[in-house]
Amino acid sequence: MTERTISIIKPDAVAKNVIGQIYDRFEKAGLRVVAAKMMQLSDEQAKAFYAVHQARPFYNDLVSFMTSGPVMVQVLEGENAIAKNREVMGATNPAEAAPGTIRADFAASIDENAVHGSDAPETAAEEIKFFFTDAELCARKR
Ligand code: CMP
């Protein structure tokens, strides 16, 4: 099934100048960028995006990290895009991420873990709406 998912290249990976290397991983996995924007998240935006983690002990650190520099946000489209993106990213904690995954290769810690990806169809739909209007999602030429 063709799906869409949100991917965020986090401030640590943008600072390391590996946006292109991460895009290469997406493309090699058959994922296609159908919308993208580089942005500096405000405190308000980061808090709202991660509202689901509000009660977690890492919430404040997460918000300050996500606002510490620009992020690259993209919608990825492809067969089983949600699961495929999660596979390419590797485990949340880079220490547990499989070799060859984005987090194993580019992330330093569970807090600064290079990328975010939607975890389910419902959250993917919400997260896409959070960042993009329908008009900004570019239909693929067949
Ligand atoms: P992400 O997929 O962006 O979703 C929430 C983020 O919180 C997660 O990646 C991690 O970078 C960060 N985080 C920090 N500590 C934890 C933890 N114990 N469990 C899950 N996420 C954590």
Coordinates of all heavy atoms in Angstrom, one line a residue, residues 40-114:
Q40 N 13.2 26.6 11.3 CA 13.6 26.8 12.7 C 12.3 26.7 13.5 O 11.5 27.5 13.4 CB 14.3 28.1 12.9 CG 14.5 28.5 14.4 CD 15.6 27.6 15.0 OE1 16.7 27.5 14.6 NE2 15.2 27.0 16.2
L41 N 12.2 25.6 14.3 CA 10.9 25.4 15.1 C 10.9 26.4 16.2 O 12.0 26.6 16.9 CB 10.9 24.0 15.6 CG 10.7 22.8 14.6 CD1 10.6 21.5 15.4 CD2 9.4 23.0 13.9
S42 N 9.8 27.0 16.5 CA 9.6 27.8 17.7 C 9.4 26.9 18.9 O 9.0 25.7 18.7 CB 8.4 28.8 17.5 OG 7.2 28.0 17.4
D43 N 9.5 27.5 20.0 CA 9.2 26.7 21.3 C 7.8 26.2 21.2 O 7.6 25.0 21.6 CB 9.4 27.7 22.4 CG 9.6 27.0 23.7 OD1 10.5 26.2 23.8 OD2 8.8 27.3 24.7
E44 N 6.9 27.0 20.8 CA 5.5 26.7 20.7 C 5.3 25.5 19.8 O 4.5 24.6 20.1 CB 4.7 27.9 20.2 CG 3.4 28.1 20.7 CD 2.8 29.5 20.4 OE1 2.9 29.8 19.2 OE2 2.4 30.2 21.3
Q45 N 5.9 25.6 18.6 CA 5.7 24.5 17.6 C 6.3 23.2 18.1 O 5.7 22.1 18.0 CB 6.5 24.9 16.3 CG 5.7 25.9 15.4 CD 6.6 26.3 14.2 OE1 7.7 26.6 14.4 NE2 6.0 26.3 13.1
A46 N 7.5 23.2 18.7 CA 8.1 22.0 19.2 C 7.3 21.4 20.3 O 7.0 20.2 20.4 CB 9.5 22.3 19.7
K47 N 6.8 22.2 21.2 CA 5.9 21.7 22.3 C 4.6 21.1 21.8 O 4.2 20.0 22.2 CB 5.5 22.9 23.3 CG 6.6 23.2 24.2 CD 6.2 24.4 25.1 CE 7.3 24.6 26.2 NZ 7.2 26.0 26.7
A48 N 4.0 21.7 20.8 CA 2.8 21.2 20.2 C 3.1 19.9 19.4 O 2.3 18.9 19.6 CB 2.2 22.2 19.3
F49 N 4.2 19.9 18.7 CA 4.4 18.7 17.9 C 4.7 17.5 18.8 O 4.2 16.3 18.5 CB 5.7 18.9 17.0 CG 6.0 17.7 16.1 CD1 5.2 17.5 14.9 CD2 7.0 16.8 16.4 CE1 5.4 16.4 14.1 CE2 7.2 15.7 15.6 CZ 6.4 15.5 14.5
Y50 N 5.3 17.7 19.9 CA 5.7 16.6 20.8 C 4.7 16.5 22.0 O 5.1 15.9 23.1 CB 7.1 16.7 21.3 CG 8.1 16.1 20.2 CD1 9.1 17.0 19.7 CD2 8.1 14.8 19.8 CE1 10.0 16.5 18.7 CE2 9.0 14.3 18.9 CZ 9.9 15.1 18.4 OH 10.9 14.7 17.5
A51 N 3.5 17.1 21.9 CA 2.6 17.2 23.0 C 2.3 15.8 23.6 O 2.1 15.7 24.8 CB 1.3 17.8 22.6
V52 N 2.3 14.7 22.8 CA 2.1 13.4 23.3 C 3.1 13.0 24.3 O 2.8 12.1 25.2 CB 2.1 12.4 22.1 CG1 3.4 12.3 21.4 CG2 1.6 11.0 22.5
H53 N 4.3 13.6 24.3 CA 5.3 13.2 25.3 C 5.4 14.2 26.5 O 6.3 14.1 27.3 CB 6.7 13.2 24.6 CG 6.9 12.2 23.6 ND1 6.7 10.8 23.8 CD2 7.2 12.3 22.3 CE1 6.9 10.2 22.7 NE2 7.2 11.0 21.8
Q54 N 4.4 15.1 26.6 CA 4.3 16.1 27.6 C 4.7 15.7 29.0 O 5.4 16.3 29.8 CB 2.9 16.7 27.7 CG 2.8 18.1 27.9 CD 1.5 18.7 27.4 OE1 0.5 17.9 27.2 NE2 1.4 20.0 27.2
A55 N 4.2 14.5 29.4 CA 4.3 14.0 30.8 C 5.7 13.2 31.0 O 6.0 12.9 32.1 CB 3.2 13.1 31.1
R56 N 6.4 13.0 29.9 CA 7.7 12.2 30.0 C 8.8 13.1 30.5 O 8.8 14.3 30.3 CB 8.1 11.7 28.6 CG 7.0 11.0 27.9 CD 6.6 9.6 28.4 NE 7.7 8.7 28.2 CZ 7.8 7.9 27.1 NH1 7.0 8.0 26.1 NH2 8.8 7.0 27.1
P57 N 9.7 12.5 31.3 CA 10.8 13.2 31.9 C 11.7 13.9 30.9 O 12.4 14.9 31.2 CB 11.6 12.2 32.7 CG 11.1 10.9 32.2 CD 9.7 11.0 31.7
F58 N 11.7 13.4 29.7 CA 12.7 14.0 28.7 C 12.0 15.1 27.8 O 12.7 15.7 26.9 CB 13.2 12.9 27.7 CG 12.1 12.1 27.0 CD1 11.5 12.6 25.9 CD2 11.7 10.8 27.5 CE1 10.5 11.8 25.2 CE2 10.7 10.1 26.9 CZ 10.1 10.6 25.7
Y59 N 10.8 15.5 28.1 CA 10.0 16.4 27.3 C 10.7 17.8 27.2 O 10.9 18.3 26.0 CB 8.6 16.6 27.9 CG 7.7 17.6 27.1 CD1 7.3 17.3 25.8 CD2 7.3 18.8 27.7 CE1 6.5 18.1 25.1 CE2 6.4 19.6 27.0 CZ 6.0 19.3 25.7 OH 5.2 20.2 25.1
N60 N 11.1 18.4 28.3 CA 11.8 19.7 28.2 C 13.1 19.7 27.4 O 13.3 20.6 26.6 CB 12.0 20.3 29.6 CG 10.7 20.7 30.2 OD1 9.7 21.0 29.6 ND2 10.7 20.8 31.6
D61 N 13.9 18.7 27.6 CA 15.1 18.5 26.9 C 14.9 18.3 25.4 O 15.6 18.9 24.6 CB 16.0 17.3 27.4 CG 16.6 17.6 28.8 OD1 16.6 18.8 29.2 OD2 17.0 16.7 29.4
L62 N 13.8 17.6 25.1 CA 13.5 17.3 23.7 C 13.1 18.6 23.0 O 13.5 18.9 21.9 CB 12.3 16.3 23.7 CG 11.7 15.9 22.4 CD1 12.7 15.3 21.4 CD2 10.5 15.0 22.6
V63 N 12.3 19.4 23.7 CA 11.8 20.7 23.1 C 13.0 21.6 22.9 O 13.2 22.2 21.9 CB 10.7 21.3 24.0 CG1 10.4 22.7 23.5 CG2 9.4 20.5 23.9
S64 N 13.9 21.7 23.9 CA 15.0 22.6 23.7 C 16.0 22.1 22.7 O 16.5 22.9 21.9 CB 15.7 23.0 25.0 OG 16.1 21.9 25.7
F65 N 16.2 20.8 22.6 CA 17.0 20.3 21.5 C 16.4 20.5 20.1 O 17.1 21.0 19.2 CB 17.2 18.8 21.7 CG 17.8 18.1 20.5 CD1 19.1 18.5 20.0 CD2 17.1 17.1 19.8 CE1 19.6 17.9 18.9 CE2 17.7 16.5 18.7 CZ 18.9 16.9 18.2
M66 N 15.1 20.3 20.0 CA 14.4 20.5 18.7 C 14.4 21.9 18.2 O 14.1 22.2 17.0 CB 13.0 19.9 18.7 CG 13.0 18.3 18.7 SD 13.9 17.5 17.4 CE 12.8 17.8 16.0
T67 N 14.6 22.9 19.1 CA 14.6 24.3 18.8 C 16.0 24.9 18.8 O 16.2 26.1 18.6 CB 13.7 25.1 19.8 OG1 14.2 24.9 21.1 CG2 12.3 24.7 19.7
S68 N 17.0 24.0 18.9 CA 18.4 24.4 19.0 C 19.0 24.8 17.7 O 20.1 25.4 17.7 CB 19.3 23.4 19.7 OG 19.4 22.2 18.9
G69 N 18.3 24.5 16.6 CA 18.9 24.8 15.3 C 17.8 24.4 14.2 O 16.8 23.8 14.6
P70 N 18.1 24.7 13.0 CA 17.1 24.3 11.9 C 16.9 22.8 11.8 O 17.9 22.0 12.1 CB 17.8 24.9 10.6 CG 19.2 25.2 11.0 CD 19.3 25.4 12.4
V71 N 15.8 22.4 11.4 CA 15.4 21.1 11.0 C 15.0 21.0 9.6 O 14.6 22.0 9.0 CB 14.3 20.5 11.9 CG1 14.7 20.4 13.4 CG2 13.0 21.3 11.8
M72 N 15.1 19.8 9.0 CA 14.6 19.6 7.6 C 13.4 18.7 7.7 O 13.6 17.5 8.2 CB 15.7 19.0 6.8 CG 15.4 18.9 5.3 SD 15.6 20.5 4.5 CE 14.8 20.1 3.0
V73 N 12.2 19.1 7.3 CA 11.0 18.3 7.4 C 10.6 17.9 6.1 O 10.5 18.7 5.1 CB 9.9 19.1 8.1 CG1 8.7 18.3 8.4 CG2 10.3 19.8 9.4
Q74 N 10.3 16.6 5.9 CA 9.8 16.1 4.6 C 8.7 15.1 4.7 O 8.6 14.4 5.7 CB 10.9 15.5 3.7 CG 12.0 14.6 4.4 CD 13.0 15.4 5.2 OE1 13.3 16.5 4.7 NE2 13.3 15.0 6.4
V75 N 7.9 15.1 3.7 CA 6.9 14.0 3.6 C 7.5 13.0 2.6 O 7.9 13.3 1.5 CB 5.6 14.5 3.0 CG1 4.6 13.4 2.8 CG2 5.0 15.6 3.9
L76 N 7.6 11.7 3.1 CA 8.1 10.6 2.2 C 6.9 9.8 1.8 O 6.0 9.5 2.6 CB 9.1 9.8 3.1 CG 10.3 10.5 3.7 CD1 11.1 9.5 4.5 CD2 11.1 11.1 2.6
E77 N 7.0 9.4 0.5 CA 5.9 8.5 0.0 C 6.5 7.3 -0.6 O 7.6 7.3 -1.2 CB 5.2 9.3 -1.2 CG 4.0 8.6 -1.8 CD 3.4 9.4 -2.9 OE1 2.5 10.3 -2.6 OE2 3.8 9.2 -4.1
G78 N 5.8 6.2 -0.4 CA 6.2 4.9 -1.0 C 5.4 3.7 -0.4 O 4.6 3.9 0.5
E79 N 5.7 2.5 -0.9 CA 5.1 1.3 -0.4 C 5.4 1.2 1.1 O 6.6 1.2 1.5 CB 5.7 0.1 -1.1 CG 5.1 -0.4 -2.3 CD 3.6 -0.8 -2.1 OE1 3.4 -1.8 -1.4 OE2 2.7 -0.1 -2.7
N80 N 4.4 1.0 1.9 CA 4.7 0.9 3.4 C 5.6 1.9 3.9 O 6.6 1.6 4.7 CB 5.2 -0.5 3.7 CG 4.2 -1.6 3.3 OD1 3.0 -1.5 3.5 ND2 4.7 -2.6 2.6
A81 N 5.4 3.2 3.5 CA 6.4 4.2 3.8 C 6.7 4.4 5.3 O 7.8 4.7 5.8 CB 6.0 5.6 3.2
I82 N 5.6 4.2 6.2 CA 5.8 4.4 7.6 C 6.7 3.4 8.2 O 7.7 3.8 8.9 CB 4.4 4.4 8.3 CG1 3.5 5.5 7.8 CG2 4.5 4.5 9.8 CD1 2.0 5.4 8.1
A83 N 6.5 2.1 7.9 CA 7.4 1.1 8.4 C 8.8 1.2 7.8 O 9.8 1.0 8.5 CB 6.8 -0.3 8.2
K84 N 8.8 1.4 6.5 CA 10.1 1.5 5.8 C 11.0 2.6 6.3 O 12.1 2.4 6.6 CB 9.8 1.6 4.3 CG 11.0 1.2 3.5 CD 10.7 1.2 2.0 CE 10.0 -0.1 1.6 NZ 9.6 -0.1 0.2
N85 N 10.4 3.8 6.6 CA 11.1 4.9 7.1 C 11.7 4.5 8.5 O 12.8 4.8 8.8 CB 10.3 6.1 7.2 CG 11.1 7.3 7.7 OD1 12.2 7.5 7.4 ND2 10.4 8.1 8.6
R86 N 10.9 3.8 9.3 CA 11.3 3.4 10.7 C 12.5 2.4 10.6 O 13.4 2.4 11.4 CB 10.1 2.9 11.5 CG 9.1 4.0 11.8 CD 8.0 3.5 12.6 NE 8.3 3.3 14.0 CZ 8.6 4.2 14.9 NH1 8.4 5.5 14.5 NH2 8.9 3.9 16.1
E87 N 12.4 1.5 9.6 CA 13.4 0.5 9.4 C 14.8 1.2 9.0 O 15.8 0.9 9.5 CB 13.0 -0.3 8.2 CG 13.6 -1.7 8.1 CD 13.0 -2.4 6.9 OE1 11.8 -2.6 6.9 OE2 13.8 -2.8 6.0
V88 N 14.7 2.2 8.1 CA 15.8 2.9 7.6 C 16.4 3.8 8.7 O 17.7 4.0 8.8 CB 15.5 3.8 6.4 CG1 16.6 4.7 6.0 CG2 15.1 2.9 5.2
M89 N 15.6 4.3 9.6 CA 16.0 5.1 10.7 C 16.8 4.3 11.8 O 17.7 4.8 12.4 CB 14.9 5.8 11.5 CG 14.2 6.9 10.7 SD 13.1 7.9 11.7 CE 11.9 6.7 12.3
G90 N 16.3 3.1 12.1 CA 16.8 2.3 13.2 C 16.2 2.6 14.5 O 15.4 3.6 14.6
A91 N 16.5 1.9 15.5 CA 15.9 2.1 16.9 C 16.2 3.5 17.4 O 17.2 4.2 17.1 CB 16.5 1.1 17.8
T92 N 15.2 4.0 18.2 CA 15.2 5.3 18.8 C 16.6 5.6 19.5 O 17.1 6.7 19.3 CB 14.1 5.5 19.8 OG1 12.9 5.2 19.2 CG2 14.0 6.9 20.4
N93 N 17.0 4.6 20.2 CA 18.3 4.7 20.9 C 19.4 4.2 19.9 O 19.5 3.1 19.6 CB 18.3 3.9 22.2 CG 19.6 4.1 23.0 OD1 20.6 4.7 22.5 ND2 19.6 3.6 24.2
P94 N 20.3 5.1 19.5 CA 21.3 4.7 18.5 C 22.2 3.5 19.0 O 22.7 2.8 18.1 CB 22.1 6.0 18.2 CG 21.8 6.9 19.3 CD 20.4 6.5 19.8
A95 N 22.3 3.4 20.3 CA 23.1 2.3 20.8 C 22.4 0.9 20.5 O 23.1 -0.1 20.5 CB 23.2 2.4 22.3
E96 N 21.1 1.0 20.2 CA 20.4 -0.3 19.9 C 20.0 -0.3 18.4 O 19.4 -1.3 18.0 CB 19.1 -0.3 20.7 CG 19.3 -0.5 22.2 CD 18.1 -0.1 23.0 OE1 17.0 0.2 22.5 OE2 18.3 0.0 24.2
A97 N 20.4 0.7 17.6 CA 20.1 0.7 16.2 C 20.9 -0.3 15.4 O 22.1 -0.4 15.6 CB 20.2 2.1 15.7
A98 N 20.3 -1.0 14.5 CA 21.0 -2.0 13.6 C 22.0 -1.3 12.8 O 21.9 -0.1 12.4 CB 20.0 -2.7 12.8
P99 N 23.2 -2.0 12.5 CA 24.2 -1.4 11.7 C 23.7 -1.0 10.3 O 22.8 -1.7 9.8 CB 25.2 -2.6 11.5 CG 24.9 -3.5 12.6 CD 23.5 -3.3 13.0
G100 N 24.2 0.1 9.8 CA 23.7 0.6 8.5 C 22.5 1.5 8.5 O 22.1 2.0 7.5
T101 N 21.8 1.6 9.7 CA 20.7 2.5 9.8 C 21.2 3.9 10.0 O 22.3 4.2 10.4 CB 19.7 2.1 11.0 OG1 20.5 2.1 12.2 CG2 19.2 0.7 10.7
I102 N 20.2 4.9 9.8 CA 20.6 6.3 9.9 C 21.1 6.6 11.3 O 22.1 7.3 11.5 CB 19.4 7.2 9.5 CG1 19.1 7.0 8.1 CG2 19.6 8.7 9.9 CD1 17.7 7.7 7.6
R103 N 20.3 6.1 12.3 CA 20.7 6.4 13.7 C 22.0 5.8 14.1 O 22.8 6.4 14.8 CB 19.5 6.1 14.7 CG 18.4 7.1 14.6 CD 17.2 6.6 15.2 NE 16.2 7.7 15.4 CZ 14.9 7.4 15.6 NH1 14.5 6.2 15.6 NH2 14.0 8.4 15.7
A104 N 22.3 4.6 13.6 CA 23.5 3.9 14.0 C 24.7 4.7 13.4 O 25.7 4.8 14.0 CB 23.5 2.5 13.4
D105 N 24.5 5.3 12.2 CA 25.6 5.9 11.5 C 25.7 7.4 11.8 O 26.8 8.0 11.7 CB 25.4 5.8 10.0 CG 25.6 4.3 9.5 OD1 26.2 3.6 10.3 OD2 25.2 4.0 8.4
F106 N 24.6 8.1 12.2 CA 24.7 9.6 12.4 C 24.3 10.1 13.8 O 24.5 11.2 14.0 CB 23.8 10.3 11.3 CG 24.2 9.9 9.9 CD1 23.4 9.3 9.1 CD2 25.5 10.3 9.4 CE1 23.7 9.0 7.7 CE2 25.8 10.1 8.1 CZ 25.0 9.4 7.3
A107 N 23.7 9.2 14.6 CA 23.1 9.7 15.9 C 24.1 9.5 17.0 O 24.8 8.5 17.0 CB 21.8 9.1 16.2
A108 N 24.1 10.5 18.0 CA 25.1 10.4 19.1 C 24.4 9.8 20.3 O 25.1 9.2 21.2 CB 25.6 11.8 19.4
S109 N 23.1 10.0 20.5 CA 22.5 9.6 21.8 C 21.0 9.5 21.5 O 20.5 9.9 20.5 CB 22.7 10.6 22.9 OG 22.1 11.8 22.6
I110 N 20.2 9.0 22.5 CA 18.8 8.9 22.4 C 18.1 10.3 22.3 O 17.1 10.4 21.7 CB 18.2 8.0 23.5 CG1 16.7 7.7 23.2 CG2 18.3 8.7 24.9 CD1 16.1 6.6 24.1
D111 N 18.8 11.3 22.9 CA 18.2 12.6 22.8 C 18.6 13.3 21.5 O 17.7 14.0 21.0 CB 18.8 13.5 24.0 CG 18.4 12.9 25.3 OD1 17.2 12.9 25.6 OD2 19.3 12.5 26.1
E112 N 19.8 13.1 21.0 CA 20.2 13.7 19.7 C 20.3 12.5 18.7 O 21.4 12.0 18.5 CB 21.5 14.4 19.9 CG 21.4 15.5 21.0 CD 22.4 16.6 21.0 OE1 23.3 16.6 20.0 OE2 22.3 17.5 21.8
N113 N 19.1 12.1 18.2 CA 19.1 10.9 17.4 C 18.8 11.1 16.0 O 18.3 10.2 15.3 CB 18.2 9.9 18.1 CG 16.7 10.3 18.1 OD1 16.4 11.4 17.7 ND2 15.8 9.4 18.4
A114 N 19.2 12.2 15.4 CA 19.3 12.5 14.0 C 18.0 12.7 13.2 O 17.9 13.5 12.3 CB 20.2 11.5 13.3

